[in-house]
């Protein structure tokens, strides 16, 4: 992990693919554990370190994750996520080009907890939740297409599922239709940018994650430099 922003109330880190935000049955060391250890060492904290998990990022996904360092920030940031007041922008590499250069996708997602997978439907079905996201094609490399994606809802595996549903599975994402895995087990999806009003100071926070240090991402670096925000519907 890399710390990209920190103040008295929040800390934002850029996680690597494979790092898990919260504990699961694997028992692996979590990103939250690593952030606590960092705070304890960096700020010479005695005793237990308070750290609130504001949101999660899938294990094979890299990029920005926000944690709260105070209970006040945790409560307010959690409300902001629930109310859609945190703008989250992702970058995704797909082998197939999307059907349109830009679009807003509305679909209904059903989560299968046993398979840890979501399924997309064009119409409402039992147990489904409305999912909305926007995307635009930033450009094309020799073998892949770089998409910028903005979430307007926060559903389980939403980007992975909705891109797969339009014929654009993310590179390396076998669960959602990619032809082969990435060598390191990652998928080529990056939580690239987070924008929100600070829960305590009221300042605008706008953080951009570094691109992964891999040739496939470095080849897309110039395409990702267009940071004009997607228009919110």
């Amino acid at each position: 992990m890399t710390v990209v922003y920190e103040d008295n109330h929040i800390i934002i880190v850029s996680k690597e693919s494979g790092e898990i935000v919260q504990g699961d049955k694997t028992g692996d060391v979590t990103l939250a554990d690593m952030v606590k250890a960092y705070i304890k060492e960096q700020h010479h904290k005695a005793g237990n370190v308070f750290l609130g998990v504001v949101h999660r990022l899938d294990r094979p996904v890299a990029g920005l994750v926000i944690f709260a360092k105070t209970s006040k920030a945790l409560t307010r940031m959690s409300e902001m996520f629930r109310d859609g007041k945190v703008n989250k922008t992702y970058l995704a590499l797909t082998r197939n080009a999307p059907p349109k250069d830009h679009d807003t996708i509305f679909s209904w997602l059903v989560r299968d907890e046993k398979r840890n997978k979501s399924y997309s439907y064009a119409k409402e079905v039992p147990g489904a939740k409305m999912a909305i996201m926007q995307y635009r094609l930033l450009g094309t490399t020799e073998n892949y297409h770089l998409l910028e994606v903005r979430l307007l809802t926060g559903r389980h595996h939403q980007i992975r599922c909705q891109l797969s549903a339009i014929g654009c599975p993310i590179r390396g994402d076998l669960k959602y239709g990619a032809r082969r895995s990435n060598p390191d087990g990652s998928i080529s999806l990056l939580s690239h940018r987070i924008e929100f009003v600070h829960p305590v100071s009221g300042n605008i926070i706008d953080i951009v994650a570094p691109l992964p240090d891999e040739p496939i991402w470095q080849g897309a670096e110039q395409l990702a430099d267009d940071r004009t925000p997607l228009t919110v519907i």
Side-chain angles (χ1 to χ4, degrees):
M1 71 160 200
T2 302
V3 177
V4 294
Y5 177 87
E6 183 181 7
D7 60 33
N8 290 335
H9 294 278
I10 61 173
I11 182 169
I12 305 175
V13 302
S14 182
K15 91 172 188 74
E16 298 179 6
S17 62
E19 293 176 339
I20 186 169
V21 175
Q22 284 184 298
D24 65 3
K25 60 184 178 183
T26 65
D28 292 345
V29 174
T30 69
L31 187 64
D33 293 331
M34 289 187 276
V35 174
K36 282 184 179 182
Y38 163 85
I39 294 172
K40 191 176 185 68
E41 179 180 352
Q42 191 75 10
H43 301 290
H44 310 290
K45 293 280 189 179
N48 293 328
V49 173
F50 177 87
L51 190 74
V53 177
V54 175
H55 66 120
R56 291 182 292 273
L57 201 60
D58 294 344
R59 187 165 193 166
V61 179
L64 300 174
V65 182
I66 305 171
F67 292 96
K69 295 171 64 178
T70 63
S71 57
K72 178 191 292 187
L74 177 61
T75 299
R76 293 180 182 180
M77 286 299 308
S78 297
E79 289 175 355
M80 289 164 63
F81 268 92
R82 282 197 300 270
D83 296 341
K85 294 181 178 179
V86 179
N87 296 326
K88 297 165 287 182
T89 305
Y90 294 74
L91 296 179
L93 286 168
T94 66
R95 181 171 288 277
N96 300 332
K100 300 178 182 179
D101 285 348
H102 56 86
D103 200 6
T104 300
I105 301 175
F106 298 83
S107 58
W108 294 89
L109 300 191
V110 174
R111 179 177 181 177
D112 185 331
E113 293 193 8
K114 288 186 178 179
R115 293 182 173 84
N116 190 30
K117 186 174 180 179
S118 290
Y119 296 86
S120 177
Y121 296 88
K123 297 181 180 180
E124 185 175 7
V125 298
K129 293 183 178 180
M130 169 60 76
I132 309 170
M133 78 172 199
Q134 297 174 311
Y135 76 83
R136 65 174 167 179
L137 177 65
L138 290 182
T140 300
T141 63
E142 184 176 351
N143 296 308
Y144 294 96
H145 305 276
L146 181 67
L147 306 183
E148 182 183 60
V149 179
R150 183 168 184 177
L151 286 178
L152 300 181
T153 54
R155 307 304 183 201
H156 178 257
H157 291 180
Q158 181 176 339
I159 296 174
R160 300 166 67 181
C161 183
Q162 288 190 301
L163 285 183
S164 177
I166 63 169
C168 296
I170 295 167
R171 174 180 175 267
D173 196 359
L174 293 179
K175 180 170 286 191
Y176 287 96
R179 287 184 286 177
R180 57 177 176 267
S181 61
N182 290 342
D184 61 358
S186 69
I187 65 174
S188 297
L189 178 64
L190 175 71
S191 173
H192 183 54
R193 184 177 186 178
I194 291 181
E195 305 162 84
F196 59 95
V197 176
H198 192 282
V200 179
S201 71
N203 294 332
I204 300 298
I205 305 296
D206 186 353
I207 304 295
V208 175
L211 294 181
D213 187 19
E214 304 171 38
I216 187 69
W217 279 109
Q218 300 309 314
E221 185 168 14
Q222 282 188 314
L223 302 176
D225 281 342
D226 177 7
R227 308 225 203 279
T228 306
L230 284 166
T231 302
V232 179
I233 59 171

